[in-house]
């Protein structure tokens, strides 16, 4: 998935105005065909490197009984394992 931002950040050749969300699984965990979730999320910037609330909601909707892990985390969330700091 792609998170498009309102303004560009840092970059070498081009200034990045998006971030990618990778959904990684172990085993076969195909979400329900009834779900219709788009690949592009537009959300405002918050504090540096903080991910939009919408991403957590999407993952919890796709995998309601899953185990959740966030890498490079900046916050805490119930039922999630948060790893790293930035």
């Amino acid at each position: 998935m792609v998170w498009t931002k309102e303004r560009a950040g840092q970059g070498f050749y081009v200034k990045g105005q998006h971030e990618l969300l990778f959904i990684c699984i172990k085993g076969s965990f195909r979400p329900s065909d009834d779900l219709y979730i788009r690949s592009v999320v537009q959300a405002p910037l918050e504090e540096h490197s903080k991910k939009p609330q919408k991403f957590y909601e999407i993952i919890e909707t796709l995998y309601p009984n899953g185990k959740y892990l966030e890498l490079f985390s900046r916050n805490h969330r119930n039922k999630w394992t948060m790893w790293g700091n930035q």
Side-chain angles (χ1 to χ4, degrees):
M1 299 180 71
V2 176
W3 167 26
T4 60
K5 300 178 179 183
E6 296 168 346
R7 62 181 186 267
Q10 298 182 20
F12 189 73
Y13 293 104
V14 297
K15 302 296 182 187
Q17 198 166 345
H18 71 283
E19 286 192 31
L20 301 175
L21 168 70
F22 296 100
I23 300 174
C24 303
I25 62 167
K26 181 179 178 182
S28 177
F29 291 100
R30 184 168 182 218
S32 170
D33 288 334
D34 296 336
L35 298 174
Y36 182 77
I37 297 175
R38 296 175 184 229
S39 64
V40 176
V41 173
Q42 293 178 317
L45 287 173
E46 295 184 39
E47 70 178 273
H48 177 71
S49 293
K50 185 175 180 182
K51 296 163 191 77
Q53 180 74 20
K54 183 71 175 170
F55 281 152
Y56 302 104
E57 295 167 2
I58 288 170
I59 292 170
E60 291 169 357
T61 299
L62 288 171
Y63 305 101
N65 300 312
K67 293 181 181 179
Y68 311 115
L69 169 67
E70 179 184 354
L71 302 178
F72 313 110
S73 175
R74 285 196 155 266
N75 54 338
H76 300 282
R77 187 173 177 88
N78 191 27
K79 299 183 183 179
W80 283 73
T81 299
M82 309 308 242
W83 185 82
N85 183 11
Q86 306 178 33

